[in-house]
Amino acid sequence: MRWLQMLGFWDYTVILTYLSFASGGIGIFLAASMQLKWAVFCLACSGLLDMFDGKVARTKKNRTADEKNFGIQIDSLCDLVCFGVLPMMICYQSGMRRRFSMAVLVLYGLAGLVRLAYFNVMEEKRQAVTEADKEYYQGLPITSMAIALPILFLLAPMFLNHIQFLTIMHLLVMIVGAMFIVDFKLKKLTAMKMILLVFVVVLIMLTLIFVAKILGGGIFRRVKESDRNRFQADMGSHCLYDYERFMEPVSCKTMYEGLFEDCFS
């Protein structure tokens, strides 16, 4: 029956893209509820799925022009959510809340949007000629944030305090975002290097889950007294995070209720 038909394409060539979007959407909800450990996990999962969605799609040799174009568009839309919006949400909830910080995040998202739109235009032209894999990326792929941000969170216990962590996070977002739209060639990974990268991503994901047991201690319980006022100004009345639970909220008292007293005592 006509009314039962759905828009879009629903074959196996796009299943990984849809799963990646689902992971990114769940990650946004988790970040909004301050479950940053799992939000970063979802970001890494989306990156892992994105590594193979194009390869899976190209296994279908009889794709129509509409199917090819749909795949290009749906992949970029998914990437904008998973590697644009989700990292912005994670960084905002991690402490990038000042005006300058929010401007950095908006510009990061805009750079990702421009890159993906440009990629769609160029990719449609290229696939009209050939379906062979490109040997180079033009600029840094937006999916790179699915590796960079989890690594930053993994290394977070090495920082002396939250101010240092936020400083590195600002620099990371600015540098990665700028590289989205800088015109340079980046050679794609070989199959062996891709497998190695997958292994690294999986290792990061597993470490993010068990890092509290492995490392012990809490970085934000070691914040110096001299950083207290500035830290409170950065975080406002939001939660302080405890690395013993790896970025899960442990104290949500407001400023007027003695915010952070538990963590600075």
Side-chain angles (χ1 to χ4, degrees):
M1 297 178 65
R2 178 74 180 175
W3 63 275
L4 288 177
Q5 294 181 355
M6 295 188 295
L7 299 177
F9 297 92
W10 300 90
D11 56 30
Y12 76 93
T13 61
V14 290
I15 186 65
L16 291 184
T17 302
Y18 292 163
L19 290 174
S20 178
F21 175 83
S23 178
I26 293 171
I28 291 172
F29 299 147
L30 291 170
S33 61
M34 306 304 290
Q35 301 297 313
L36 298 186
K37 171 181 64 177
W38 293 106
V40 174
F41 176 82
C42 288
L43 174 63
C45 282
S46 292
L48 191 61
L49 292 167
D50 186 78
M51 288 181 183
F52 300 102
D53 59 356
K55 297 183 183 300
V56 170
R58 284 187 286 272
T59 60
K60 186 178 180 181
K61 301 302 181 182
N62 60 341
R63 286 191 300 167
T64 65
D66 287 341
E67 287 177 322
K68 293 178 184 177
N69 290 333
F70 180 82
I72 295 172
Q73 300 297 331
I74 201 69
D75 183 64
S76 290
L77 290 171
C78 176
D79 287 353
L80 183 61
V81 173
C82 297
F83 313 116
V85 178
L86 176 54
M88 291 170 64
M89 190 68 174
I90 292 172
C91 292
Y92 177 79
Q93 293 291 68
S94 297
M96 291 183 64
R97 297 175 178 272
R98 290 191 170 187
R99 293 177 182 177
F100 172 75
S101 303
M102 289 187 284
V104 169
L105 290 176
V106 169
L107 290 175
Y108 165 85
L110 179 61
L113 177 66
V114 170
R115 173 184 174 77
L116 291 170
Y118 181 81
F119 170 82
N120 283 8
V121 174
M122 296 297 104
E123 187 65 10
E124 283 187 16
K125 290 182 179 180
R126 190 187 72 85
Q127 288 203 11
V129 178
T130 178
E131 287 193 36
D133 283 340
K134 293 174 64 176
E135 295 183 359
Y136 292 89
Y137 292 110
Q138 192 170 1
L140 187 69
I142 192 172
T143 52
S144 59
M145 202 56 160
I147 299 174
L149 197 57
I151 289 177
L152 175 63
F153 273 76
L154 187 64
L155 297 177
M158 297 175 61
F159 300 111
L160 295 178
N161 53 53
H162 191 65
I163 304 304
Q164 290 186 359
F165 176 74
L166 281 181
T167 300
I168 299 301
M169 179 175 282
H170 278 76
L171 292 174
L172 177 70
V173 173
M174 287 189 288
I175 292 172
V176 172
M179 292 179 71
F180 288 163
I181 53 177
V182 173
D183 190 5
F184 68 96
K185 287 186 176 181
L186 180 65
K187 187 173 178 60
K188 286 192 172 184
L189 299 176
T190 62
M192 184 59 66
K193 291 181 179 178
M194 181 69 75
I195 293 173
L196 179 61
L197 183 59
V198 170
F199 174 78
V200 171
V201 172
V202 171
L203 183 62
I204 291 173
M205 288 161 52
L206 294 175
T207 305
L208 285 172
I209 296 175
F210 299 109
V211 69
K213 296 180 180 179
I214 296 173
L215 296 177
I219 181 175
F220 297 121
R221 293 189 183 278
R222 300 195 301 267
V223 176
K224 297 178 181 179
E225 185 67 26
S226 61
D227 293 321
R228 174 175 181 151
N229 293 335
R230 186 178 174 186
F231 185 84
Q232 289 179 342
D234 283 337
M235 297 302 292
S237 61
H238 294 277
C239 295
L240 178 68
Y241 308 114
D242 180 2
Y243 253 82
E244 290 176 359
R245 301 181 185 179
F246 199 70
M247 303 305 282
E248 290 183 358
V250 295
S251 177
C252 292
K253 297 179 180 180
T254 63
M255 292 285 287
Y256 302 102
E257 296 173 330
L259 179 65
F260 307 146
E261 288 298 324
D262 294 340
C263 295
F264 285 98
S265 57

